[in-house]
Amino acid sequence: MGKLIFDMSGLYNTALNITALKAEIKQSAGENLTELFYLPSCQSTNTECMNVGSHGSVVLAEKQTAGRGRRGNNWHSPDSQNIYCSIGINKTIAAEYLGLMSLVVGICIVESLHSLGVDDASLKWPNDILLQGKKLGGVLIETKALSQDEFYLAIGFGLNINLTQQECDSIGQPAISLNQLHEVNFTRHQLLVALVSNILQQSMLFEVDSIDHLIEQFNRFDSFRGKQVIVKTRTEEIAGVTLGLERTGWLKVQTEQGVQSFSAAEISLRQRV
Ligand code: BTN
């Protein structure tokens, strides 16, 4: 039976049962999950995850007092049953390919949302999760080098679930929250099981020799492919048309000066209207 918004047993207003959550993630992700930490509040789950530093650990918080977004932005993290989560893994990968990991995670998030019936969730390069063209969530991966080509990754992701319209409007870019959908057939618990299991498994499994497949998957969900865009660097704004991804995950854009490639760290992107 479908659950309408504000159904007390549904996506919102429900305390998490952490023991059950851990057991269910363990059931689908197996030994990939080692520990799950649940915090009523913290500065940032990414910071906690970095401090934990162990492969297969998951940090989940109800509230962040200093949530971080990409490019030094804040991540709005009130205590309102959103999702703030970080997953720690050790990864052997050449540094030039590290940017691919956020594509892996973005794809996992969109696939998990689709599997629960949120069919119009899509991606905006490099790691924005969009719904109805507005920002529903994002991914921030922070890294610590362990040795040559070996890194500890704190894979952080946040999803807006229970924000008010006023909060969405105050975010500084078009934002949306899952509670704005008319009907939701799943609980926050189910969403977390799908997300964490999927991200744990796929981020550990990913190998650079499957880049072509990764790029194909990204293209399927990419809402900006072939679109007229404005690329905003620290110093200028460049108009162009997106052409897809390089094998390093960099974005190719046809500009007046020719084809240019941009790294996720350098730019932000918006559609030209
Ligand atoms: C972005 O779109 O700019 C990335 C947002 C990432 C937010 C998540 S919430 C959990 C984790 N902890 C943080 O401080 N940031 C990430």
Side-chain angles (χ1 to χ4, degrees), residues 100 103 107 206 210-222 225 244-250:
L100 295 174
L103 307 183
I107 291 166
F206 176 72
S210 57
I211 290 180
D212 293 334
H213 178 61
L214 179 78
I215 291 180
E216 251 171 58
Q217 282 180 305
F218 183 84
N219 288 342
R220 265 201 303 139
F221 298 136
D222 180 10
R225 190 165 160 77
L245 304 184
E246 300 272 13
R247 290 177 64 77
T248 50
W250 287 32

Side-chain angles (χ1 to χ4, degrees), residues 44-46 64 66-70 75 84-86 128 135 137-140 156-158:
S44 157
T45 56
N46 268 22
Q64 298 184 116
R68 296 193 283 276
R70 242 172 33 91
W75 186 254
Y84 316 115
C85 184
S86 300
D128 282 2
K135 185 149 172 167
V139 178
L140 178 70
F157 59 96

Side-chain angles (χ1 to χ4, degrees), residues 1 3 9-11 14 16-17 20-21 24-25 28 83 112-113 115-116 161 184-198:
M1 190 184 71
K3 296 189 181 79
S9 63
L11 188 53
T14 322
L16 291 171
N17 177 338
L21 185 66
E24 284 177 49
I25 296 171
S28 59
I83 288 179
S112 302
L113 287 164
S115 74
L116 291 166
I161 294 197
V184 169
N185 294 302
F186 53 89
T187 61
R188 187 166 66 134
H189 178 103
Q190 286 171 307
L191 179 55
L192 275 166
V193 172
L195 289 169
V196 174
S197 311
N198 207 357

Side-chain angles (χ1 to χ4, degrees), residues 46 55 68 77 85 94 97 100 103 112 137 151 159 178 213 222-223 260 263:
N46 268 22
H55 184 66
R68 296 193 283 276
S77 311
C85 184
Y97 292 117
L100 295 174
L103 307 183
S112 302
F151 298 87
L159 283 181
L178 273 181
H213 178 61
D222 180 10
S223 55
Q260 289 182 258
S263 91

Side-chain angles (χ1 to χ4, degrees), residues 30-241:
E31 295 311 306
N32 295 326
L33 174 73
T34 53
E35 301 170 277
L36 191 150
F37 299 94
Y38 175 66
L39 308 170
S41 173
C42 67
Q43 286 194 338
S44 157
T45 56
N46 268 22
T47 306
E48 298 293 334
C49 186
M50 269 294 170
N51 291 341
V52 171
S54 75
H55 184 66
S57 55
V58 175
V59 181
L60 189 61
E62 288 294 353
K63 170 186 175 186
Q64 298 184 116
T65 54
R68 296 193 283 276
R70 242 172 33 91
R71 308 176 84 234
N73 293 325
N74 295 327
W75 186 254
H76 184 61
S77 311
D79 192 358
S80 55
Q81 311 225 356
N82 294 317
I83 288 179
Y84 316 115
C85 184
S86 300
I87 297 178
I89 68 163
N90 292 338
K91 189 81 193 165
T92 304
I93 188 168
E96 65 185 294
Y97 292 117
L98 267 175
L100 295 174
M101 293 307 296
S102 46
L103 307 183
V104 173
V105 177
I107 291 166
C108 286
I109 295 175
V110 170
E111 279 179 342
S112 302
L113 287 164
H114 285 199
S115 74
L116 291 166
V118 186
D119 297 332
D120 51 351
S122 64
L123 287 170
K124 174 187 158 200
W125 181 89
N127 45 24
D128 282 2
I129 315 299
L130 301 187
L131 188 64
Q132 299 171 3
K134 297 178 186 163
K135 185 149 172 167
L136 177 71
V139 178
L140 178 70
I141 302 186
E142 295 177 302
T143 60
K144 181 164 69 186
L146 300 174
S147 62
Q148 173 81 25
D149 294 347
E150 205 190 340
F151 298 87
Y152 177 72
L153 311 183
I155 301 171
F157 59 96
L159 283 181
N160 301 332
I161 294 197
N162 206 19
L163 294 184
T164 62
Q165 184 61 54
Q166 203 181 9
E167 283 174 303
C168 286
D169 293 344
S170 71
I171 279 176
Q173 62 178 305
I176 192 166
S177 175
L178 273 181
N179 57 353
Q180 289 169 20
L181 293 184
H182 292 303
E183 190 173 340
V184 169
N185 294 302
F186 53 89
T187 61
R188 187 166 66 134
H189 178 103
Q190 286 171 307
L191 179 55
L192 275 166
V193 172
L195 289 169
V196 174
S197 311
N198 207 357
I199 295 171
L200 267 171
Q201 293 176 90
Q202 297 307 322
S203 57
M204 288 184 191
L205 271 179
F206 176 72
E207 302 272 359
V208 164
D209 59 13
S210 57
I211 290 180
D212 293 334
H213 178 61
L214 179 78
I215 291 180
E216 251 171 58
Q217 282 180 305
F218 183 84
N219 288 342
R220 265 201 303 139
F221 298 136
D222 180 10
S223 55
F224 270 45
R225 190 165 160 77
K227 294 272 163 63
Q228 308 245 5
V229 292
I230 302 285
V231 174
K232 190 166 179 252
T233 71
R234 302 229 178 250
T235 52
E236 57 180 338
E237 296 201 348
I238 306 162
V241 175

